[in-house]
Amino acid sequence: MKSIVWIKHASQLATLAQNSEGPRIKEAMNELSIIEDGSVWIEDGVIKAVGTTTELERKFNDRAHEAEITDASGHLVTPGLVDPHTHVAYGGSREREFEMRLEGATYMDIMNAGGGIHATTRMTREASEDELVEQSKKRLDSFLQHGVTTVEGKSGYGLDLENELKQLRVMKRLQDEHPIDLVPTFMGAHAVPTDYKGREEEFVELIIDEMLPAVADEKLAVFNDVFCEVGVFTPEQSERILEAGKMYGLIPKIHADEIEPYGGAELAAKVGAISAEHLLKASDDGITAMADAGTIACLLPATALFLREEAAKGRKMIDEGVPVAISTDCNPGSSPTTSMPLVMNLACISMRLTPAEALTAATYNAACAIQMENKTGSLEVGKQGDVVLWDISNYQELQYLFGVNHVKTVWKKGVKVVG
Ligand SMILES: [Zn+2]
């Protein structure tokens, strides 16, 4: 018995379908390929047809009795959102640091005092695999509630071989046990652990000589990410770690120019990173280099807001031809949110993306940033039935009625998981 979902009469079916390879740039980010009175037919988790309701009725009316039909009259329907940058599998919580920052401490003050990433590292090391799975599942449930059906997740709260592998194994279990697709990234170079203070080079060698081979051996990650920042890893160290990862087939990503301009955007282009993250302080040359190399800018406006920093120059990046994706950066320190709708709102408000660009950045381009664009990120025949029905009628409202969760129904691989 086939499982069939038939969504009909969407006031706007934003398919995001285009006849082009790779991430969308410039004007193409505004093209949502909307079908009015749109319809989708999903069979055994895979999209079999997309078109107007009239077209699909002509094709499938004699099989209507086999389908679970949803009348989407008056509603916007989009692909499931994709979050291409999270640190979702962590232990503990850091609300006290939030309070400290409001009292005047900076993010780097807290980190240098053993808080920040170090605090989460302690709590993640202390937690068992089962405990981490349970905590993280709740966050993934919340992602689904906000219309997110695919998430990237990074290690980097283990910071030793055993605990980095533990964090990645937790993500592997989450991929098996939770409906969300979770794409894993190794990020051993997230911070220099406190016991390596003054011996940073030794830690870089540990990553290159022991962690990367072990991660590759167990096939626990697709990407290799580095926090290239003043006081964390230098551009030179970052380059060595990313080049070493490439030898094991791990694709580079880079946390770049978040706090200080440090040549991170330039390095992302140079090593052929699939994406560079944050980029609040990216230089003009760095932005040009990324446009030339086709490096995706993964922008995190909720993090900028939460740290009370000015957001990245999203408008300028799109105008200069950089493909832009957006993400929550879900993590316990600088962005403890799972709301991609809020991130889309902020992309418009604080980075001046258009409502259509923000949706592209949260679906198709986000999928490209984690090499999932052949499976999800747009509503096209052959892709997974990852679909969101919103309790609003058009895509402009999605960005305009901000700070509210408009998700009504979510299907993941053709299975209703919300609503
Ligand atoms: Zn991050």
Side-chain angles (χ1 to χ4, degrees):
M1 184 75 180
K2 281 184 181 291
S3 114
I4 297 171
V5 169
W6 192 6
I7 302 164
K8 300 168 73 171
H9 298 300
S11 62
Q12 287 189 343
L13 183 77
T15 67
L16 279 290
Q18 285 180 26
N19 294 319
S20 63
E21 293 272 298
R24 312 248 151 93
I25 58 168
K26 294 190 171 173
E27 254 316 296
M29 284 192 68
N30 272 312
E31 290 165 22
L32 300 179
S33 305
I34 289 171
I35 300 171
E36 285 175 12
D37 192 14
S39 181
V40 187
W41 177 278
I42 304 165
E43 217 169 291
D44 289 337
V46 178
I47 297 172
K48 290 284 162 136
V50 181
T52 63
T53 301
T54 312
E55 284 167 351
L56 266 64
E57 277 175 346
R58 213 174 292 139
K59 204 167 175 179
F60 294 113
N61 254 357
D62 55 338
R63 292 181 61 196
H65 62 280
E66 297 174 47
E68 185 191 308
I69 296 173
T70 296
D71 181 356
S73 299
H75 294 288
L76 168 71
V77 172
T78 70
L81 304 180
V82 177
D83 191 334
H85 177 147
T86 86
H87 304 258
V88 68
Y90 61 83
S93 178
R94 284 171 28 208
E95 62 278 2
R96 172 61 192 133
E97 287 180 12
F98 175 58
E99 207 167 41
M100 284 162 68
R101 281 195 296 104
L102 296 174
E103 288 159 5
T106 69
Y107 183 81
M108 278 305 189
D109 287 341
I110 292 169
M111 180 147 153
N112 291 332
I117 291 171
H118 301 304
T120 299
T121 299
R122 271 195 306 278
M123 293 185 274
T124 304
R125 284 177 178 179
E126 282 162 14
S128 70
E129 217 174 283
D130 287 344
E131 285 165 346
L132 290 175
V133 166
E134 283 318 304
Q135 286 189 28
S136 307
K137 266 186 189 166
K138 285 189 187 152
R139 292 178 205 121
L140 293 180
D141 288 344
S142 176
F143 272 111
L144 279 182
Q145 298 287 342
H146 288 89
V148 179
T149 50
T150 303
V151 164
E152 182 258 19
K154 302 174 196 297
S155 70
Y157 292 126
L159 301 182
D160 61 24
L161 179 63
E162 178 195 338
N163 286 292
E164 283 295 306
L165 292 177
K166 177 175 81 177
Q167 218 188 335
L168 289 167
R169 288 184 195 123
V170 164
M171 284 193 266
K172 194 172 189 177
R173 269 183 60 186
L174 290 166
Q175 168 68 9
D176 293 340
E177 296 174 21
H178 197 277
I180 277 190
D181 272 317
L182 180 57
V183 180
T185 295
F186 168 66
M187 197 177 178
H190 193 200
V192 178
T194 41
D195 49 331
Y196 277 84
K197 211 169 163 55
R199 299 187 292 135
E200 288 79 6
E201 269 303 311
E202 283 177 47
F203 188 64
V204 171
E205 281 161 27
L206 180 74
I207 291 171
I208 292 174
D209 297 338
E210 292 183 35
M211 293 190 195
L212 283 171
V215 169
D217 193 47
E218 273 191 61
K219 296 187 172 54
L220 287 172
V222 179
F223 303 100
N224 179 29
D225 199 341
V226 174
F227 192 3
C228 178
E229 191 65 54
V230 175
V232 192
F233 295 93
T234 66
E236 187 272 327
Q237 291 167 333
S238 302
E239 184 171 354
R240 273 160 51 213
I241 293 166
L242 295 175
E243 288 295 341
K246 278 157 81 172
M247 308 280 285
Y248 295 101
L250 297 172
I251 300 157
K253 281 179 175 281
I254 176 166
H255 282 55
D257 305 317
E258 178 184 0
I259 298 161
E260 312 257 3
Y262 202 27
E266 290 87 336
L267 178 61
K270 184 181 171 195
V271 300
I274 190 164
S275 65
E277 330 290 303
H278 291 287
L279 300 167
L280 269 59
K281 305 287 165 61
S283 71
D284 289 351
D285 285 350
I287 291 172
T288 306
M290 285 179 59
D292 291 345
T295 315
I296 298 170
C298 185
L299 305 180
L300 316 168
T303 312
L305 177 75
F306 200 72
L307 297 177
R308 295 184 301 122
E309 296 283 343
E310 200 173 316
K313 297 185 186 79
R315 175 77 270 134
K316 176 185 161 77
M317 290 180 197
I318 291 176
D319 292 343
E320 299 207 358
V322 179
V324 167
I326 53 176
S327 156
T328 61
D329 190 20
C330 175
N331 78 80
S334 60
S335 187
T337 184
T338 46
S339 176
M340 277 297 279
L342 175 67
V343 169
M344 289 194 287
N345 303 153
L346 292 175
C348 297
I349 296 164
S350 60
M351 302 196 298
R352 287 182 51 227
L353 268 63
T354 65
E357 286 168 345
L359 184 57
T360 299
T363 53
Y364 182 78
N365 274 13
C368 289
I370 52 174
Q371 287 195 335
M372 288 290 281
E373 73 272 24
N374 294 326
K375 292 186 179 165
T376 193
S378 61
L379 301 176
E380 295 179 86
V381 172
K383 288 199 179 184
Q384 291 175 177
D386 298 352
V387 186
V388 183
L389 188 156
W390 303 86
D391 204 4
I392 44 178
S393 63
N394 62 69
Y395 74 91
Q396 291 99 332
E397 271 187 314
L398 182 60
Q399 318 303 14
Y400 159 71
L401 295 169
F402 88 106
V404 178
N405 187 7
H406 301 287
V407 169
K408 192 171 154 80
T409 312
V410 180
W411 292 266
K412 177 63 186 175
K413 294 178 185 159
V415 176
K416 194 185 277 185
V417 286
V418 175

